[in-house]
Amino acid sequence: MTRFIRSRRNREQTTFSPRTIINGVEIAGRRGLFPSLRRIALYASLAVLAAPASSRAVQAASGHDPAPQYPARPIRLIVPFPPGGSNDIVARYLGHYLTERWNRQVVIDNRAGAEGVIGTEVAARAVPDGHTLLLVSAAFTANPAVRKLPYDSIKDFVWAGMLGYGPSLLSVHPGLPVNSVKELQAYGKTNPNKLTMATSGGYAGFASYSFRHHSGIDMLVVVYKGGFPAMMDVIAGQAQVNLGSLIQAIPQAKAGKLKALATSGGKRASAMPELPTIAEAGVAGYEANNWWAVAAPAGTPAAVLAKLSAEIERFVKLPETQKRFTAEGAEAEFRSPAEIVKLLPVELAKWANVAKVANIPRQ
């Protein structure tokens, strides 16, 4: 049963499951879950990932703890998007793991708005002691191309590690007479301005504009307020093409409500290995993945980052984590802070180029 926590006494209760804050309102329930979000009920089972020994015993066994006093209090993990999306799901997976490993609550703080900018700014201005972290996704590198940001994407953050990535699914309305990406390209050439591609903002919108550019298909891209209504309009026939969340679209494709053509990543998605990538299907040079990483405010001590990075790497490599990411249509893959630093300029340049060629207006 979900309940609002109002009193100071309740806020300080000694349970070790992650709590949730949505735009400043703290919400908790058994194991810190949202009963109204179906998949979040799975998260409680992540407690089995915890080692039976205490974190102190584990550190003693390893012989070294770079930050023995960390964490000294609950950790706030800011998710700059609403509950229920991929960012929120990934954050809760990690939050449960860290809660059990360190015997410190991880508070999931959903600070949605402006395609992730509002929550990201909150994290950038936080005290850099490791007790405020940020769940970052591909929108982090897409936003600078179309928005004036209240923070510096490079200078204001340091990194603890990447958790994984997830491709999108290219699908069409079942009534459209195409069964492959090449057939979609051919249809678009013989039927100019007759196709509508429904998408959402942020990463998905950029990925959709990029697909239109690389494929050469003459079609209108319509940006919806969310991925779900965009997909539903394709199912209803109001639009014909969708590039959206893989996990969201798989059930619809299996039910025959969408026709799946390809996935957007650099390799085939483990959730639908029978489908080619968009590049394999003939759109050379196309690749788009959403990805998730953990950042902290610039100035966070190196020892704290090292400890966080080691735990994130361990979490990502657990078989249970691999299975859960696959079930969500994603891939669990660790990348070090140094690798993220090298990746960011590449991602920033990629989405800036997409914004330019697609004439996406600045907001």
Side-chain angles (χ1 to χ4, degrees), residues 348-363:
L348 288 165
K350 177 178 71 176
W351 297 124
N353 182 63
V354 169
K356 182 179 179 179
V357 299
N359 295 316
I360 303 175
R362 292 191 65 85
Q363 301 178 26

Side-chain angles (χ1 to χ4, degrees), residues 45 51 123 147 189 203 251 290 316 329:
S45 61
R147 294 175 180 270
K189 289 180 180 179
Y203 153 76
N290 197 5
V316 169

